[in-house]
Amino acid sequence: MQTHFVFRQMESSNALRGYAEERLEKIKRYFADPLRISCTFSVDKIMNTASFDVTLRNGLQLHASEQTENMYSSVDMALAKMERQVRRYKARIKHHKANEGRTAKVKLGVIAAASVTDAHVEEDEGQVASTSAAAANQAPAQLPDHRPNIIRQTEFHAERMTVDAAIMQMNLLHKQFYVFTNAASGDISVVYLLDDGNFGLIEPQAGVG
């Protein structure tokens, strides 16, 4: 059993560590397999955030995070959220087995919002308007190439699983979408949460062109 604690913008606290470990016992009792647990506590002005990440031996991951003005309350609320999901999927988590086979490598990038704002659109429209008369008898002017500014990139292996398991994993992580290797096709697929509570599925189709 491995439990790792990280304290950000705050001093390490044995009292908080002990409190979190005590509350984590309610999560641990659901699983016979060893767990790897990461606990992160951070403070930003008056807000206290507690985040918990749990990795099970069968490959499933759990995540929960809460932010309040009191760190102990954040711990309680985050682990209560995690326990609700664990209880919801208790039987399926217990019997889940990692799918064998190739997993696809995926690159995830974060694009700076400022690089895709309407300012570029307004600038392009102004340039087109100012040159429209001169370009009447010439080839169309080449618009500037405004490429998005990618400020961060990470790579990860999309776990191989069924669509049902991917939806469960998405919910256990409290995500709006989840990228995975579809066990049925071997292709990259995406499940996501719809506004009406249903789930969407994106998967590639062969022969499109």
Side-chain angles (χ1 to χ4, degrees):
M1 185 82 63
Q2 299 179 357
T3 304
H4 181 61
F5 291 90
V6 176
F7 297 85
R8 295 175 178 167
Q9 288 83 49
M10 63 177 294
E11 294 184 0
S12 177
S13 169
N14 288 331
L16 181 58
R17 187 192 302 260
Y19 186 83
E21 287 182 329
E22 180 182 343
R23 295 300 184 271
L24 280 165
E25 289 300 321
K26 294 184 67 176
I27 303 298
K28 295 176 183 178
R29 71 185 183 187
Y30 288 99
F31 311 106
D33 291 342
L35 310 173
R36 185 171 70 251
I37 303 174
S38 176
C39 312
T40 303
F41 308 109
S42 61
V43 177
D44 183 11
K45 297 180 180 178
I46 65 171
M47 300 308 295
N48 296 262
T49 303
S51 297
F52 298 90
D53 293 278
V54 178
T55 302
L56 306 182
R57 175 173 288 184
N58 62 11
L60 288 177
Q61 296 178 308
L62 318 175
H63 170 80
S65 179
E66 282 293 342
Q67 183 182 74
T68 71
E69 294 184 6
N70 181 279
M71 187 64 79
Y72 291 88
S73 295
S74 297
V75 170
D76 287 341
M77 293 176 65
L79 292 180
K81 180 192 293 185
M82 181 177 287
E83 186 179 11
R84 285 195 296 270
Q85 290 289 51
V86 169
R87 293 176 63 182
R88 175 183 178 185
Y89 292 109
K90 180 180 177 181
R92 292 184 57 190
I93 292 174
K94 182 178 180 180
H95 296 98
H96 176 82
K97 294 182 179 180
N99 283 279
E100 297 181 354
R102 182 184 64 83
T103 60
K105 198 171 186 179
V106 177
K107 181 181 291 186
L108 176 65
V110 177
I111 298 173
S115 68
V116 290
T117 60
D118 292 340
H120 294 308
V121 176
E122 294 172 359
E123 177 184 339
D124 292 343
E125 290 176 347
Q127 290 178 351
V128 171
S130 64
T131 59
S132 59
N137 298 319
Q138 300 178 10
Q142 190 72 27
L143 292 178
D145 182 14
H146 289 297
R147 296 185 178 181
N149 178 24
I150 300 177
I151 58 178
R152 185 168 66 252
Q153 281 189 335
T154 57
E155 292 185 352
F156 64 95
H157 285 278
E159 295 297 326
R160 190 180 185 92
M161 57 182 63
T162 64
V163 173
D164 285 348
I167 292 174
M168 175 178 67
Q169 179 64 96
M170 177 181 68
N171 288 332
L172 290 172
L173 291 172
H174 295 278
K175 300 288 188 180
Q176 294 296 312
F177 69 93
Y178 185 72
V179 182
F180 66 105
T181 303
N182 196 316
S185 63
D187 294 326
I188 286 289
S189 298
V190 180
V191 290
Y192 59 97
L193 182 63
L194 296 171
D195 292 338
D196 61 5
N198 291 313
F199 301 100
L201 171 64
I202 300 174
E203 52 187 348
Q205 294 292 315
V208 177

